[in-house]
Amino acid sequence: MTMRREATPRTHVRSRSAAATAAGVEPVDTDGAPVAEHPVQACEPPVVGHDHAAVARLLHALAEPHRLSMVHLLARAEHRVVDLTSELGLAQSTVSVHLATLRDAGLVDVRREGRSSWYRLARPKVAHILADAERVVEATRGGAR
């Protein structure tokens, strides 16, 4: 026998916050902790008819901590595989596989110089995506400034 819980109406934090502010009371969440007020920021409307699969491929390429570290390093300057290997403490084969994933996603370009291959970001705007993602992570951890 399964017991069903009765559904209770939930109010949005903003409406509860606005009511509390109007009443002169500091807003609190359901646990009694103060609710931090965050300014509402407008974002750009999504591009109509954009390719969700392409966006998913891009995000998948970025969804690995070592690849994110590589993108951070490549945002600063070009690097060879040997440089990334020593900087990240990874095997050469691992770095090469990660670079291939980033290249397949169109995020990294390679420049040949003699016997060396120099890797760089093909899309410098990717660094902005990472910076925005890091701000979101900080905000969700309560470290918003």
Side-chain angles (χ1 to χ4, degrees):
M1 176 179 205
T2 305
M3 294 187 62
R4 296 183 70 192
R5 290 176 48 181
E6 187 176 319
T8 57
R10 300 188 133 218
T11 51
H12 191 275
V13 172
R14 289 215 185 272
S15 62
R16 187 173 45 226
S17 174
T21 302
V25 177
E26 183 175 338
V28 294
D29 66 12
T30 55
D31 296 329
V35 174
E37 292 294 325
H38 299 286
V40 176
Q41 297 179 349
C43 31
E44 294 181 27
V47 178
V48 176
H50 69 277
D51 186 353
H52 286 275
V55 173
R57 283 190 301 275
L58 169 77
L59 295 176
H60 173 75
L62 296 172
E64 204 285 328
H66 291 121
R67 287 195 292 266
L68 288 177
S69 296
M70 287 181 194
V71 169
H72 275 286
L73 291 170
L74 296 172
R76 293 187 195 122
E78 290 183 317
H79 287 76
R80 298 173 299 161
V81 171
V82 67
D83 302 326
L84 294 169
T85 299
S86 64
E87 185 77 30
L88 299 170
L90 298 172
Q92 181 271 327
S93 59
T94 303
V95 169
S96 293
V97 169
H98 286 313
L99 285 170
T101 300
L102 293 170
R103 283 184 69 192
D104 290 345
L107 299 174
V108 172
D109 280 334
V110 62
R111 177 178 62 85
R112 309 265 187 238
E113 186 178 289
R115 291 181 49 160
S116 296
S117 296
W118 291 85
Y119 291 86
R120 67 182 176 274
L121 279 187
R123 309 273 182 265
K125 288 187 176 185
V126 171
H128 297 289
I129 293 170
L130 297 182
D132 288 344
E134 289 164 356
R135 281 191 286 276
V136 169
V137 168
E138 283 301 310
T140 59
R141 288 184 178 161
R145 293 179 180 116

